[in-house]
Amino acid sequence: MPATELLIRNARVVRPGDPASDDPALADIAVSNGRIVAIGPGLPVDDQTRIVDAGGLLAFPGVVDAHQHWGIYRELADDTASESRACAQGGVTTSLTYMRTGRYYLNRGGPYREFVPEVLERMAGRSHVDYGLHLAPMTAEHIDEIPYLVEEFGVTSFKIFMFYGGHGLHGRSSDQSSFLMIPPDERYDLAHFEFVMRGIERARAQSGQPLSLSLHCETAEIMAAYTALVERDHTQTGLRAYSASRPAHSEGLAITMASYLAHETGLADINLLHLSSAKAVAAALTMAQAFPHVNFRREVTIGHLLADVDTAHGIGGKVNPPLRERADVEALWQHLVAGEIDWVVSDHACCRDEAKFGADRDDVFLAKSGFGGAEYLLPGLIGEGRKRGLSLHRIAELTATNPARRYGLTRKGTLAEGYDADIVLVDPTAHWTVHAADSESAQEYTPFEGFDMTAKVTDVFLRGTQIVHHGKVQNTPQGHYLHRTTP
């Protein structure tokens, strides 16, 4: 065994897939050259070893937050710096962020072979956590670029926003061409989605890489019609009105269409993102039965698990798909505990106050969609999950192992020899209250304001380097870009 550079003593190690780790004995974690080299009691050290006493805290694998949006509402370099600090604060050591051409992000169109280098240049040296990219093929040119993106940038996951073809990011809109910055003779519609799937499947066959496609499943036509109904009705306001304007069956319908297209095109690996409702999960499970040859994964966000249209703190909780009724929240938890959800994410999208709210701060349809939350992902899931019978090892799978495996992060996602020493110490007895002012995010508000938490991240290690010490994020960015193409 190589010389131990770091030894974390007296940790209760949570091992994904190991029910015994729900009541773990004290153990040590030895780290050398950024990787775990041994786990066990009483590991030896020498004079050069740095020793950190965990004091009996839980040790989780670093969170792989597979759904974030850095740079959507702010300059990407600034967002990378501040929002990666929020990630570290919450125990997220790997962030996968969705990028696309068009309005927001870099506010430009064109080929990804020009776009991605600019993205990586702006992010370089500024992230406190490791990071990777998902990309959305918005044009026919982007579909042709998929093999190049896999080979050159190690991008192995792609995305479709199903509602963009006839609905805006924040509400009703028919301004597709200028918003998406696509050629005037192209459409972002079901036919394009089919061709994206065929392009990914061709690239998978050509490269041998395990490529997957993620889908934001909402149906533009349903949402446009229901938005008009809600605006005429005037009896619903705030987050409940926004939820009614993007009804749950819109998710179910989009999931059904996407699943059939996956079947038609032979694309095996499909990720159904941020399922927000009982109807959405029911549709996803039905499609898994209908098309057993499609390897579906189902995702929910911590926002949809913690908050509903009544408990979220104001219309800062506007997000796509919307926060739902309490019955939907409880349904999501039931599916999570039953093992029917594959991972939990934050969908972190920092939107500062001046960008979030319109001239009338109480008009939900003038507000922008999305909010931060990576800092609450792990503590929120531990606290609420344990109340509902969710095991510790299952929480580790949901936040680390499962997304790491799906997205080709072969050295992330678990605490075991040979893996990156991404380690999070958690106090499962801590009690604290969420206040936006305490967050490292640049966002001045949170829909979780005033929520009680019953677990807290205290210390975080990224590849063996301590990036959070006693709850304080250290000032030197240590994050690397993750090239996910396997040799």
Side-chain angles (χ1 to χ4, degrees):
M1 187 176 78
T4 299
E5 298 167 357
L6 168 69
L7 189 78
I8 301 176
R9 284 206 184 281
N10 301 317
R12 295 192 291 138
V13 179
V14 178
R15 297 177 183 268
D18 179 10
S21 71
D22 286 341
D23 185 23
L26 293 177
D28 302 339
I29 306 173
V31 177
S32 182
N33 294 321
R35 298 198 191 185
I36 297 170
V37 293
I39 299 177
L43 295 180
V45 298
D46 57 37
D47 293 340
Q48 304 302 313
T49 303
R50 181 191 173 207
I51 298 175
V52 174
D53 191 342
L57 296 177
L58 296 173
F60 275 84
V63 173
V64 176
D65 191 347
H67 192 151
Q68 297 198 4
H69 295 273
W70 291 359
I72 182 172
Y73 296 123
R74 300 171 67 223
E75 205 288 318
L76 178 57
D78 294 337
D79 224 31
T80 299
S82 63
E83 304 320 293
S84 68
R85 290 180 67 90
C87 287
Q89 184 180 28
V92 174
T93 54
T94 299
S95 165
L96 296 179
T97 186
Y98 284 97
M99 282 280 167
R100 60 163 173 77
T101 55
R103 203 176 299 170
Y104 300 106
Y105 302 100
L106 299 190
N107 287 306
R108 55 171 288 187
Y112 275 130
R113 65 181 60 239
E114 298 174 2
F115 183 91
V116 175
E118 184 175 346
V119 166
L120 297 181
E121 181 180 355
R122 294 192 188 192
M123 299 172 85
R126 301 185 67 84
S127 178
H128 290 262
V129 302
D130 287 348
Y131 57 97
L133 300 177
H134 310 285
L135 293 176
M138 310 302 293
T139 66
E141 180 180 35
H142 293 164
I143 296 173
D144 292 339
E145 288 183 298
I146 288 172
Y148 173 79
L149 298 173
V150 174
E151 178 66 26
E152 184 69 17
F153 300 112
V155 175
T156 61
S157 46
F158 300 87
K159 184 177 182 179
I160 287 170
F161 303 84
M162 292 188 71
F163 68 93
Y164 275 173
H167 208 66
L169 179 58
H170 313 299
R172 188 170 44 180
S173 174
S174 59
D175 183 21
Q176 184 193 62
S177 181
S178 65
F179 171 65
L180 300 180
M181 297 182 185
I182 61 177
D185 59 339
E186 293 194 26
R187 294 289 300 170
Y188 193 79
D189 56 14
L190 278 171
H192 177 75
F193 306 160
E194 176 187 335
F195 297 147
V196 168
M197 291 184 178
R198 294 191 186 280
I200 294 172
E201 176 55 25
R202 284 195 303 271
R204 184 209 60 76
Q206 174 184 327
S207 69
Q209 298 292 334
L211 309 182
S212 70
L213 176 66
S214 300
L215 294 111
H216 181 136
C217 294
E218 291 183 282
T219 312
E221 294 83 355
I222 297 293
M223 295 192 300
Y226 274 76
T227 297
L229 291 175
V230 170
E231 289 177 337
R232 290 197 301 267
D233 182 27
H234 301 299
T235 62
Q236 298 186 92
T237 60
L239 296 180
R240 178 166 277 107
Y242 193 63
S243 179
S245 76
R246 302 172 79 113
H249 71 274
S250 162
E251 284 187 88
L253 180 58
I255 288 165
T256 302
M257 290 188 291
S259 300
Y260 187 83
L261 282 179
H263 159 72
E264 168 64 22
T265 60
L267 183 59
D269 292 335
I270 296 292
N271 311 310
L272 301 174
L273 302 183
H274 44 42
L275 303 175
S276 73
S277 62
K279 289 182 178 179
V281 179
L285 294 174
T286 298
M287 291 300 98
Q289 292 181 330
F291 305 116
H293 50 287
V294 178
N295 188 11
F296 289 104
R297 294 290 184 271
R298 294 173 287 273
E299 171 191 286
V300 298
T301 79
I302 194 64
H304 289 105
L305 289 170
L306 296 184
D308 60 44
V309 293
D310 293 314
T311 62
H313 187 75
I315 65 169
K318 180 179 178 179
V319 68
N320 300 331
L323 299 179
R324 301 295 188 186
E325 301 287 342
R326 176 49 49 173
D328 283 305
V329 174
E330 296 304 324
L332 294 181
W333 277 108
Q334 291 171 10
H335 288 296
L336 194 68
V337 173
E340 294 167 335
I341 302 298
D342 294 287
W343 56 73
V344 181
V345 298
S346 70
D347 197 1
H348 188 101
C350 173
C351 188
R352 286 178 62 83
D353 189 279
E354 69 271 16
K356 179 75 175 184
F357 301 98
D360 180 353
R361 293 178 63 91
D362 295 324
D363 188 338
V364 72
F365 291 101
L366 295 180
K368 288 187 171 61
S369 300
F371 51 78
E375 60 270 54
Y376 312 119
L377 170 52
L378 184 58
L381 191 62
I382 293 173
E384 285 299 309
R386 293 180 78 198
K387 295 175 187 176
R388 299 163 184 273
L390 195 63
S391 65
L392 294 176
H393 77 275
R394 176 70 176 143
I395 292 170
E397 293 168 4
L398 290 165
T399 58
T401 312
N402 292 352
R405 288 176 178 169
R406 180 59 152 193
Y407 290 119
L409 298 164
T410 57
R411 286 167 47 180
K412 307 289 188 182
T414 192
L415 299 179
E417 292 181 20
Y419 283 80
D420 283 355
D422 297 346
I423 303 161
V424 181
L425 300 183
V426 175
D427 182 350
T429 66
H431 288 75
W432 57 286
T433 302
V434 172
H435 295 297
D438 299 328
S439 171
E440 293 282 352
S441 172
Q443 184 175 288
E444 308 94 330
Y445 64 90
T446 176
F448 310 116
E449 185 74 30
F451 281 31
D452 292 325
M453 294 283 181
T454 55
K456 191 173 184 64
V457 171
T458 66
D459 299 85
V460 181
F461 301 82
L462 175 66
R463 288 176 278 101
T465 296
Q466 190 160 14
I467 61 173
V468 176
H469 180 60
H470 295 325
K472 301 296 183 183
V473 179
Q474 306 304 287
N475 288 328
T476 304
Q478 300 288 333
H480 294 169
Y481 174 69
L482 300 171
H483 188 287
R484 288 177 287 140
T485 303
T486 54

